[in-house]
Amino acid sequence: MLMDIWEHRTTGSCCSCGQPTAPLMVMEGTRRRPSRRLRVCTSCDNTHGKLRDRDVQAARHILWLPIYKFYGAERPWYMTRSFHGS
């Protein structure tokens, strides 16, 4: 069985709670810049935030999306695109 998976928001949403994650600030030489791989979820851990790898998050979401679809469940709210207007 072949299924089309829409990848919208699979990387930027926390795989545990669904809240948006932010890039971790890392040192590059003497400057701080946002990390390309690591993301932080501040909803899961209130002290310093929970580190998440963006590819692992996406893989977990993509793993669960066909299961939701197979059982007829709705796509999780945090991975839907909100349409505005009519």
Side-chain angles (χ1 to χ4, degrees):
M1 180 176 178
L2 187 62
M3 212 180 272
D4 185 28
I5 301 295
W6 187 36
E7 299 175 12
H8 183 68
R9 293 191 181 158
T10 57
T11 302
S13 301
C14 178
C15 52
S16 181
C17 69
Q19 295 299 318
T21 57
L24 178 69
M25 296 303 285
V26 294
M27 292 297 291
E28 185 178 275
T30 58
R31 295 185 345 186
R32 289 175 56 90
R33 67 161 183 82
S35 172
R36 292 183 185 102
R37 296 201 52 85
L38 295 176
R39 305 201 45 97
V40 179
C41 178
T42 55
S43 297
C44 288
D45 183 9
N46 292 334
T47 55
H48 301 292
K50 180 102 173 166
L51 282 179
R52 305 264 186 217
D53 183 285
R54 68 185 188 129
D55 293 338
V56 172
Q57 285 185 151
R60 287 180 180 163
H61 287 303
I62 290 171
L63 172 71
W64 281 100
L65 286 175
I67 295 170
Y68 288 130
K69 195 171 190 177
F70 179 79
Y71 286 107
E74 294 289 322
R75 186 179 176 103
W77 63 270
Y78 55 88
M79 285 193 290
T80 59
R81 186 174 298 206
S82 58
F83 294 102
H84 299 289
S86 52

